[in-house]
Short mmCIF file of all heavy atoms in Angstrom, two decimals:
data_model
loop_
_atom_site.label_atom_id
_atom_site.label_comp_id
_atom_site.label_asym_id
_atom_site.label_seq_id
_atom_site.Cartn_x
_atom_site.Cartn_y
_atom_site.Cartn_z
N ARG A 1 117.71 120.11 127.72
CA ARG A 1 117.05 120.52 128.97
C ARG A 1 116.38 119.33 129.65
O ARG A 1 116.56 119.08 130.85
CB ARG A 1 115.98 121.58 128.70
CG ARG A 1 116.49 122.95 128.36
CD ARG A 1 115.33 123.92 128.26
NE ARG A 1 115.64 125.00 127.33
CZ ARG A 1 114.79 125.98 127.04
NH1 ARG A 1 113.59 126.02 127.61
NH2 ARG A 1 115.13 126.92 126.18
N ILE A 2 115.59 118.60 128.87
CA ILE A 2 114.86 117.47 129.45
C ILE A 2 115.81 116.34 129.81
O ILE A 2 115.67 115.71 130.87
CB ILE A 2 113.75 117.01 128.49
CG1 ILE A 2 112.69 118.10 128.37
CG2 ILE A 2 113.14 115.70 128.95
CD1 ILE A 2 111.58 117.80 127.39
N ALA A 3 116.80 116.09 128.96
CA ALA A 3 117.78 115.06 129.28
C ALA A 3 118.51 115.39 130.57
O ALA A 3 118.76 114.51 131.41
CB ALA A 3 118.78 114.92 128.13
N HIS A 4 118.83 116.67 130.76
CA HIS A 4 119.54 117.08 131.97
C HIS A 4 118.67 116.90 133.21
O HIS A 4 119.13 116.42 134.26
CB HIS A 4 120.00 118.53 131.86
CG HIS A 4 121.09 118.90 132.81
ND1 HIS A 4 120.84 119.21 134.13
CD2 HIS A 4 122.44 118.99 132.65
CE1 HIS A 4 121.99 119.48 134.74
NE2 HIS A 4 122.97 119.35 133.86
N LEU A 5 117.41 117.27 133.11
CA LEU A 5 116.49 117.09 134.24
C LEU A 5 116.37 115.61 134.61
O LEU A 5 116.38 115.25 135.79
CB LEU A 5 115.11 117.65 133.87
CG LEU A 5 114.05 117.59 134.98
CD1 LEU A 5 114.38 118.57 136.11
CD2 LEU A 5 112.66 117.90 134.41
N LEU A 6 116.30 114.74 133.59
CA LEU A 6 116.21 113.30 133.85
C LEU A 6 117.49 112.77 134.48
O LEU A 6 117.44 111.94 135.39
CB LEU A 6 115.91 112.56 132.54
CG LEU A 6 114.54 112.82 131.91
CD1 LEU A 6 114.43 112.13 130.56
CD2 LEU A 6 113.41 112.35 132.83
N CYS A 7 118.63 113.24 134.01
CA CYS A 7 119.92 112.81 134.59
C CYS A 7 120.00 113.21 136.06
O CYS A 7 120.39 112.40 136.91
CB CYS A 7 121.08 113.43 133.82
SG CYS A 7 121.41 112.71 132.19
N GLU A 8 119.63 114.44 136.36
CA GLU A 8 119.69 114.90 137.74
C GLU A 8 118.75 114.08 138.62
O GLU A 8 119.11 113.66 139.73
CB GLU A 8 119.33 116.38 137.84
CG GLU A 8 119.36 116.90 139.28
CD GLU A 8 118.97 118.36 139.41
OE1 GLU A 8 119.57 119.20 138.70
OE2 GLU A 8 118.07 118.66 140.22
N PHE A 9 117.54 113.84 138.13
CA PHE A 9 116.57 113.06 138.90
C PHE A 9 117.11 111.65 139.17
O PHE A 9 116.99 111.13 140.29
CB PHE A 9 115.24 112.98 138.14
CG PHE A 9 114.21 112.16 138.85
CD1 PHE A 9 113.54 112.67 139.96
CD2 PHE A 9 113.90 110.87 138.42
CE1 PHE A 9 112.59 111.91 140.63
CE2 PHE A 9 112.95 110.12 139.09
CZ PHE A 9 112.29 110.63 140.19
N ALA A 10 117.74 111.04 138.17
CA ALA A 10 118.27 109.68 138.35
C ALA A 10 119.39 109.66 139.38
O ALA A 10 119.42 108.79 140.27
CB ALA A 10 118.78 109.15 137.01
N VAL A 11 120.32 110.60 139.31
CA VAL A 11 121.46 110.61 140.23
C VAL A 11 121.01 110.88 141.66
O VAL A 11 121.45 110.22 142.60
CB VAL A 11 122.51 111.65 139.77
CG1 VAL A 11 123.57 111.87 140.84
CG2 VAL A 11 123.18 111.18 138.47
N ARG A 12 120.11 111.84 141.82
CA ARG A 12 119.63 112.15 143.18
C ARG A 12 118.79 111.01 143.74
O ARG A 12 118.83 110.73 144.94
CB ARG A 12 118.84 113.45 143.15
CG ARG A 12 119.71 114.68 142.86
CD ARG A 12 118.89 115.94 142.65
NE ARG A 12 118.27 116.39 143.90
CZ ARG A 12 117.39 117.39 143.96
NH1 ARG A 12 117.02 118.02 142.84
NH2 ARG A 12 116.88 117.75 145.12
N SER A 13 118.04 110.32 142.89
CA SER A 13 117.26 109.17 143.34
C SER A 13 118.18 108.02 143.74
O SER A 13 117.95 107.35 144.76
CB SER A 13 116.30 108.71 142.24
OG SER A 13 115.33 109.69 141.96
N ASP A 14 119.23 107.79 142.94
CA ASP A 14 120.18 106.73 143.27
C ASP A 14 120.84 106.98 144.62
O ASP A 14 121.12 106.04 145.37
CB ASP A 14 121.25 106.60 142.18
CG ASP A 14 120.76 105.79 140.99
OD1 ASP A 14 119.66 105.21 141.07
OD2 ASP A 14 121.48 105.73 139.98
N ALA A 15 121.12 108.25 144.91
CA ALA A 15 121.76 108.57 146.19
C ALA A 15 120.88 108.18 147.37
O ALA A 15 121.38 107.90 148.47
CB ALA A 15 122.08 110.06 146.25
N LEU A 16 119.56 108.12 147.14
CA LEU A 16 118.63 107.73 148.19
C LEU A 16 118.22 106.26 148.09
O LEU A 16 117.50 105.75 148.95
CB LEU A 16 117.36 108.59 148.12
CG LEU A 16 117.55 110.08 148.43
CD1 LEU A 16 116.24 110.82 148.19
CD2 LEU A 16 118.01 110.28 149.86
N GLY A 17 118.66 105.59 147.02
CA GLY A 17 118.32 104.19 146.84
C GLY A 17 116.86 103.96 146.49
O GLY A 17 116.27 102.96 146.90
N ILE A 18 116.26 104.86 145.72
CA ILE A 18 114.83 104.73 145.43
C ILE A 18 114.56 104.44 143.96
O ILE A 18 113.47 104.72 143.46
CB ILE A 18 114.04 105.96 145.89
CG1 ILE A 18 114.59 107.27 145.29
CG2 ILE A 18 114.00 106.05 147.39
CD1 ILE A 18 113.73 108.48 145.62
N ASN A 19 115.51 103.88 143.23
CA ASN A 19 115.15 103.33 141.93
C ASN A 19 114.77 101.87 142.13
O ASN A 19 115.19 101.22 143.08
CB ASN A 19 116.29 103.52 140.91
CG ASN A 19 117.43 102.54 141.12
OD1 ASN A 19 117.31 101.35 140.81
ND2 ASN A 19 118.54 103.03 141.65
N HIS A 20 113.97 101.34 141.25
CA HIS A 20 113.45 99.98 141.39
C HIS A 20 114.07 99.11 140.30
O HIS A 20 113.50 98.96 139.22
CB HIS A 20 111.92 99.98 141.30
CG HIS A 20 111.27 100.94 142.26
ND1 HIS A 20 110.90 100.58 143.53
CD2 HIS A 20 110.94 102.25 142.13
CE1 HIS A 20 110.35 101.62 144.14
NE2 HIS A 20 110.37 102.65 143.31
N GLY A 21 115.25 98.58 140.59
CA GLY A 21 115.92 97.75 139.59
C GLY A 21 116.27 98.51 138.34
O GLY A 21 116.18 97.98 137.23
N GLY A 22 116.66 99.77 138.51
CA GLY A 22 117.02 100.59 137.35
C GLY A 22 115.83 101.31 136.72
O GLY A 22 116.00 102.03 135.74
N ILE A 23 114.64 101.12 137.27
CA ILE A 23 113.44 101.82 136.79
C ILE A 23 113.14 102.97 137.75
O ILE A 23 113.03 102.78 138.96
CB ILE A 23 112.22 100.87 136.71
CG1 ILE A 23 112.52 99.71 135.76
CG2 ILE A 23 110.98 101.63 136.23
CD1 ILE A 23 111.43 98.65 135.73
N TYR A 24 113.01 104.16 137.19
CA TYR A 24 112.76 105.35 138.00
C TYR A 24 111.31 105.77 137.82
O TYR A 24 110.83 105.92 136.69
CB TYR A 24 113.69 106.49 137.58
CG TYR A 24 115.15 106.15 137.75
CD1 TYR A 24 115.83 105.45 136.76
CD2 TYR A 24 115.83 106.50 138.91
CE1 TYR A 24 117.17 105.11 136.93
CE2 TYR A 24 117.16 106.17 139.08
CZ TYR A 24 117.82 105.48 138.09
OH TYR A 24 119.14 105.15 138.25
N ASN A 25 110.61 105.95 138.93
CA ASN A 25 109.23 106.38 138.88
C ASN A 25 109.19 107.90 138.84
O ASN A 25 109.25 108.56 139.88
CB ASN A 25 108.46 105.84 140.09
CG ASN A 25 106.97 106.15 140.02
OD1 ASN A 25 106.43 106.38 138.94
ND2 ASN A 25 106.31 106.18 141.15
N LEU A 26 109.12 108.45 137.67
CA LEU A 26 109.16 109.90 137.49
C LEU A 26 107.86 110.50 138.04
O LEU A 26 106.77 110.19 137.54
CB LEU A 26 109.32 110.25 136.01
CG LEU A 26 109.60 111.70 135.66
CD1 LEU A 26 110.94 112.15 136.22
CD2 LEU A 26 109.58 111.90 134.14
N PRO A 27 107.95 111.36 139.05
CA PRO A 27 106.73 111.84 139.71
C PRO A 27 106.07 113.02 139.02
O PRO A 27 105.06 113.53 139.50
CB PRO A 27 107.26 112.27 141.09
CG PRO A 27 108.65 112.74 140.82
CD PRO A 27 109.18 111.85 139.72
N MET A 28 106.60 113.46 137.88
CA MET A 28 106.12 114.69 137.25
C MET A 28 105.30 114.38 136.00
O MET A 28 105.63 113.50 135.21
CB MET A 28 107.31 115.58 136.86
CG MET A 28 108.24 115.91 138.01
SD MET A 28 109.72 116.79 137.47
CE MET A 28 109.06 118.42 137.12
N THR A 29 104.23 115.15 135.82
CA THR A 29 103.49 115.10 134.57
C THR A 29 104.29 115.85 133.49
O THR A 29 105.25 116.58 133.80
CB THR A 29 102.12 115.76 134.71
OG1 THR A 29 102.31 117.17 134.98
CG2 THR A 29 101.32 115.12 135.85
N GLN A 30 103.87 115.69 132.24
CA GLN A 30 104.55 116.42 131.17
C GLN A 30 104.36 117.92 131.32
O GLN A 30 105.26 118.70 131.00
CB GLN A 30 104.06 115.92 129.81
CG GLN A 30 104.51 114.49 129.52
CD GLN A 30 104.10 114.00 128.15
OE1 GLN A 30 103.45 114.71 127.37
NE2 GLN A 30 104.49 112.77 127.83
N GLU A 31 103.23 118.34 131.85
CA GLU A 31 103.01 119.77 132.10
C GLU A 31 103.99 120.27 133.16
O GLU A 31 104.57 121.36 133.02
CB GLU A 31 101.58 120.01 132.57
CG GLU A 31 101.30 121.48 132.88
CD GLU A 31 99.89 121.72 133.42
OE1 GLU A 31 99.16 120.74 133.62
OE2 GLU A 31 99.53 122.90 133.63
N GLN A 32 104.19 119.49 134.22
CA GLN A 32 105.12 119.89 135.28
C GLN A 32 106.56 119.90 134.77
O GLN A 32 107.35 120.79 135.13
CB GLN A 32 104.96 118.96 136.48
CG GLN A 32 103.65 119.18 137.23
CD GLN A 32 103.32 118.06 138.19
OE1 GLN A 32 103.81 116.94 138.06
NE2 GLN A 32 102.48 118.35 139.17
N ILE A 33 106.92 118.91 133.96
CA ILE A 33 108.26 118.93 133.36
C ILE A 33 108.43 120.22 132.54
O ILE A 33 109.45 120.90 132.62
CB ILE A 33 108.49 117.69 132.47
CG1 ILE A 33 108.56 116.44 133.34
CG2 ILE A 33 109.77 117.84 131.66
CD1 ILE A 33 108.59 115.14 132.54
N GLY A 34 107.40 120.55 131.76
CA GLY A 34 107.45 121.77 130.96
C GLY A 34 107.63 123.02 131.82
O GLY A 34 108.38 123.92 131.46
N ASP A 35 106.93 123.05 132.96
CA ASP A 35 107.05 124.21 133.85
C ASP A 35 108.43 124.28 134.51
O ASP A 35 108.84 125.35 134.97
CB ASP A 35 105.97 124.16 134.93
CG ASP A 35 104.59 124.51 134.40
OD1 ASP A 35 104.50 124.97 133.24
OD2 ASP A 35 103.60 124.30 135.13
N ALA A 36 109.13 123.16 134.58
CA ALA A 36 110.49 123.15 135.15
C ALA A 36 111.54 123.56 134.13
O ALA A 36 112.58 124.12 134.49
CB ALA A 36 110.82 121.77 135.71
N VAL A 37 111.29 123.27 132.84
CA VAL A 37 112.31 123.54 131.83
C VAL A 37 111.88 124.60 130.82
O VAL A 37 112.57 124.84 129.82
CB VAL A 37 112.71 122.24 131.08
CG1 VAL A 37 113.35 121.24 132.04
CG2 VAL A 37 111.52 121.61 130.36
N GLY A 38 110.75 125.26 131.05
CA GLY A 38 110.34 126.37 130.19
C GLY A 38 109.83 125.95 128.84
O GLY A 38 110.07 126.65 127.84
N LEU A 39 109.09 124.83 128.78
CA LEU A 39 108.54 124.33 127.52
C LEU A 39 107.06 124.02 127.70
O LEU A 39 106.60 123.79 128.82
CB LEU A 39 109.28 123.06 127.07
CG LEU A 39 110.78 123.17 126.81
CD1 LEU A 39 111.38 121.78 126.62
CD2 LEU A 39 111.07 124.05 125.59
N THR A 40 106.32 123.97 126.60
CA THR A 40 104.93 123.56 126.68
C THR A 40 104.86 122.05 126.86
O THR A 40 105.80 121.31 126.54
CB THR A 40 104.16 123.94 125.41
OG1 THR A 40 104.69 123.19 124.30
CG2 THR A 40 104.27 125.44 125.12
N ALA A 41 103.72 121.57 127.35
CA ALA A 41 103.53 120.13 127.52
C ALA A 41 103.62 119.42 126.17
O ALA A 41 104.14 118.29 126.08
CB ALA A 41 102.17 119.86 128.17
#
């Protein structure tokens, strides 16, 4: 679940050109990631 969320975020970010030399600034806290994938922080 988490790997898939990260993959999607990377591909959609690349489409906009907003990775920084291959580094992605993940805008979500661990609690928010949990709320997206149905897991606790």
Side-chain angles (χ1 to χ4, degrees):
R1 287 186 209 179
I2 293 177
H4 199 280
L5 183 70
L6 293 175
C7 286
E8 179 181 307
F9 179 75
V11 169
R12 292 172 69 187
S13 296
D14 279 352
L16 294 175
I18 55 174
N19 76 73
H20 307 270
I23 301 174
Y24 300 85
N25 185 23
L26 189 64
M28 305 173 74
T29 65
Q30 291 184 359
E31 179 183 4
Q32 289 166 338
I33 292 172
D35 287 350
V37 296
L39 300 170
T40 65

